[in-house]
Amino acid sequence: MAYLNINSIKERTFDAIVIGSGMSGGWAAKELTDNGLKTLVLERGRDVKHIKDYPTANMYPFEFEHRGELPLAVKKENPVVGRCYAFGESTAHFFVKDKEHPYIQEKEFDWIRAYQVGGRSLLWARQTQRWSDFDFSGPARDGFAVDWPIRYADIAPWYSHVEKFAGIAGNKDGLQELPDGEFLPGFPLNAVEDYFKKQVSEKFKGRHIISGRCAHLSRPEPVHLEQGRGQCLSRTLCNRGCPLGGYYSSNSSTLPWAAKSGHLTLRPFSVVHSILYDEQKGRASGVRVIDANTKEETEYYAKIIFVNAGSVNTNLVLLNSVSGRFPAGLGNDNGLLGKYVAFHNYSATISAEFDGLKEFTTDGRRPTGGYVPRFRNVFKQETDFLRGYAAGFSAHRGLDRDTGGFGTELKENILNPQLGPWRVGSHMMAETIPKESNYVSLDPDRKDAWGIPQLRISVAYDDNDEKMRKDYLAQFEEMFAAAGFTNIQPRNKPMAPGLDIHEMGGVRMGKDPKTSLLNKWNQFHACKNVFVTDGACMTSTSTQNPSLTYMAITARAANYAAEELKKRNL
């Protein structure tokens, strides 16, 4: 029996364990297996194979039972996920339903989750703007929150590394506040977007409109073809899963690549209960897993562990990883684990019409739109709020159908619609400030179906967010008016934190173990063989969509870990 037990432990022992298979987990798996490490990836949800498991990818609207709408009963049962723009009849199978995985909202917070292999990488907006030094130095410049332990120069090579492999479409815009990258050809702005770009450039110094950089293969390179991916055809059905592999996801790119190495073991339906800590060796030894279906408990062992469960879930796993050495959660000597959670503020939009350029219209689709890089408080503090906001911008020209008349006249009116006016719109993407009062914690009594404590979330907006919202609306109203746009409609968009789906922090990086959890390589200060490289590690949030930065940070940390392992330092 002892021999059998030794064999069993050997079968459950790996060089590395990655918790989570989404955006950053896929990159950890790729980089670790590329380095020859025998790697176990644990995913709490079901398996989703690229192409095979995208059941709605090629369906026509009339093939959906409810023509794309969700039944009223489904909407009533899912008030949280039902508020997500991407949750619909064609995508519902990729989202966690509210009743399946309850959590406690001390303050209203919409936690949007996707428990399956690939996670939310199947559902993301695919916007991929780099951070600049203005972003990494933000906390040091205004003294709010702790300083990042890295700067742009530390991560720039890893942005390039990720961009070349994932495939990023964009233009070389030459902006100091939004560094250029390794781009495939960018998608063009349309006539009115280009008009607005010129108007803003002429009338508002330091403000720019660019084509949003996105993780789509506008022209595949050999490395993308080697992944089995093809050119993006601008179907804009991305959230159903792309059978072409036209946009980056873990399912189409990093996970199959890691599997080809022969070093990957992927285990779906594996709910991670906690990370095991060896008190004698002073290091993490493995992971305790509960089978999602059978509830059977199993332990897996490894020399290094990457935690990529998704920002909020990563906090949950670590808070639940208690031991004699760490009674308040793994690495939590300073009591800050779960605190300083932040997000992006998308709670304002503005729209208008334009009566010019009627000789142009739009034809077809594209996977991105215009992007307005942050222009507030970049080079100096110039407002009464901290940090700033970026924004989306797009223009389109739809058809106006005249439904007047009767009989033949009505028929002709419906069959021959006329081009309507140009309509333009923008939405705010604002940074929020990490605060100790925004936190997550474990409920002492309530547990989920797998016996794991439910998460309590206490996150809210503050005065800085409100000031930024007012400034965004005022500045864009001014820019729209200067461009000759009419019928300008600024709007507050009531939405709870979380619906931006950019939750970050709780396990922040920093230089000082007294004020942070992770060092510059994403290692716990107090437990060097555990790395956190998803959104939980973020010290501040900046304004850019964060996934590209998660991927670059993960690739950097995974290669560091592999090198340290070879040197026997871990």
Side-chain angles (χ1 to χ4, degrees), residues 146 206 272 364 449 501 554:
V146 300
V272 173
I501 324 180
T554 300

Side-chain angles (χ1 to χ4, degrees), residues 26-345:
W27 270 97
K30 174 194 173 293
E31 299 299 321
L32 294 169
T33 55
D34 276 353
N35 278 280
L37 299 183
K38 182 183 172 187
T39 302
L40 171 67
V41 173
L42 297 168
E43 166 55 51
R44 67 178 298 154
R46 66 189 173 96
D47 197 4
V48 171
K49 296 293 186 190
H50 179 50
I51 303 176
K52 174 178 173 288
D53 293 323
Y54 304 153
T56 61
N58 292 319
M59 287 177 63
Y60 290 100
F62 56 80
E63 294 181 289
F64 290 94
E65 182 179 358
H66 304 99
R67 302 296 187 265
E69 290 292 319
L70 286 167
L72 184 59
V74 176
K75 293 180 180 178
K76 286 184 175 178
E77 286 179 358
N78 295 281
V80 173
V81 67
R83 286 190 281 271
C84 177
Y85 72 97
F87 184 68
E89 190 177 22
S90 65
T91 59
H93 50 286
F94 287 150
F95 286 89
V96 164
K97 310 306 180 294
D98 293 359
K99 285 185 177 178
E100 295 170 356
H101 299 277
Y103 64 100
I104 299 148
Q105 302 180 57
E106 291 185 2
K107 298 170 183 173
E108 189 179 3
F109 185 91
D110 289 337
W111 188 13
I112 309 299
R113 293 159 287 173
Y115 292 162
Q116 68 246 327
V117 168
R120 294 187 297 196
S121 78
L122 287 167
L123 299 166
W124 66 313
R126 308 165 307 284
Q127 289 290 302
T128 45
Q129 332 298 331
R130 289 189 180 196
W131 282 33
S132 74
D133 251 340
F134 298 110
D135 303 302
F136 285 107
S137 65
R141 289 196 296 158
D142 59 34
F144 207 96
V146 300
D147 189 12
W148 278 84
I150 60 174
R151 289 292 185 266
Y152 178 69
D154 296 307
I155 197 172
W158 296 101
Y159 274 134
S160 294
H161 178 79
V162 165
E163 287 165 343
K164 290 176 183 174
F165 189 84
I168 306 298
N171 299 312
K172 300 280 188 182
D173 299 298
L175 304 179
Q176 194 176 356
E177 65 272 35
L178 201 75
D180 291 331
E182 310 290 338
F183 296 145
L184 305 173
F187 291 89
L189 299 174
N190 64 36
V192 169
E193 291 164 352
D194 198 48
Y195 164 80
F196 187 55
K197 172 181 179 176
K198 292 171 182 170
Q199 291 289 308
V200 168
S201 178
E202 290 172 4
K203 299 174 181 176
F204 297 88
K205 184 181 178 182
R207 301 185 186 184
H208 309 277
I209 314 296
I210 67 170
S211 175
R213 301 155 183 178
C214 59
H216 285 256
L217 300 182
S218 56
R219 187 187 63 203
E221 297 290 329
V223 68
H224 308 124
L225 300 177
E226 189 178 350
Q227 295 169 40
R229 299 168 59 198
Q231 183 167 344
C232 171
L233 299 183
S234 296
R235 300 181 342 137
T236 64
L237 302 175
C238 312
N239 290 331
R240 301 181 188 182
C242 181
L244 308 168
Y247 74 87
Y248 169 82
S249 70
S250 296
N251 309 68
S252 67
S253 181
T254 42
L255 289 176
W257 185 275
K260 281 197 300 185
S261 73
H263 301 303
L264 176 71
T265 299
L266 175 62
R267 193 181 191 283
F269 296 118
S270 298
V271 181
V272 173
H273 175 279
S274 55
I275 294 172
L276 306 169
Y277 186 78
D278 188 319
E279 306 274 351
Q280 292 184 330
K281 294 181 178 178
R283 54 185 285 130
S285 58
V287 172
R288 179 172 294 124
V289 168
I290 299 172
D291 188 286
N293 298 314
T294 67
K295 311 286 177 69
E296 182 184 3
E297 188 175 300
T298 309
E299 293 181 353
Y300 295 92
Y301 309 101
K303 299 165 188 167
I304 56 174
I305 297 166
F306 270 69
V307 191
N308 302 87
S311 304
V312 177
N313 260 326
T314 285
N315 277 274
L316 190 159
V317 169
L318 294 169
L319 285 165
N320 201 40
S321 299
V322 296
S323 61
R325 169 68 180 84
F326 297 115
L330 187 72
N332 193 18
D333 285 338
N334 52 27
L336 297 180
L337 181 61
K339 298 178 180 177
Y340 295 96
V341 172
F343 55 99
H344 279 158
N345 178 6

Side-chain angles (χ1 to χ4, degrees), residues 314-315 318 337-339 505-509 517-518 524 532 536-537:
T314 285
N315 277 274
L318 294 169
L337 181 61
K339 298 178 180 177
V507 199
R508 67 182 180 185
M509 297 171 70
L517 281 302
L518 308 171
F524 268 101
V532 178
C537 78

Side-chain angles (χ1 to χ4, degrees), residues 60 90 114 133 177 273 286 303 361 401 424 447 468 498 540 550:
Y60 290 100
S90 65
D133 251 340
E177 65 272 35
H273 175 279
K303 299 165 188 167
T361 185
R401 297 180 188 276
V424 302
K447 296 187 177 181
M468 220 181 305
S540 61
Y550 300 166

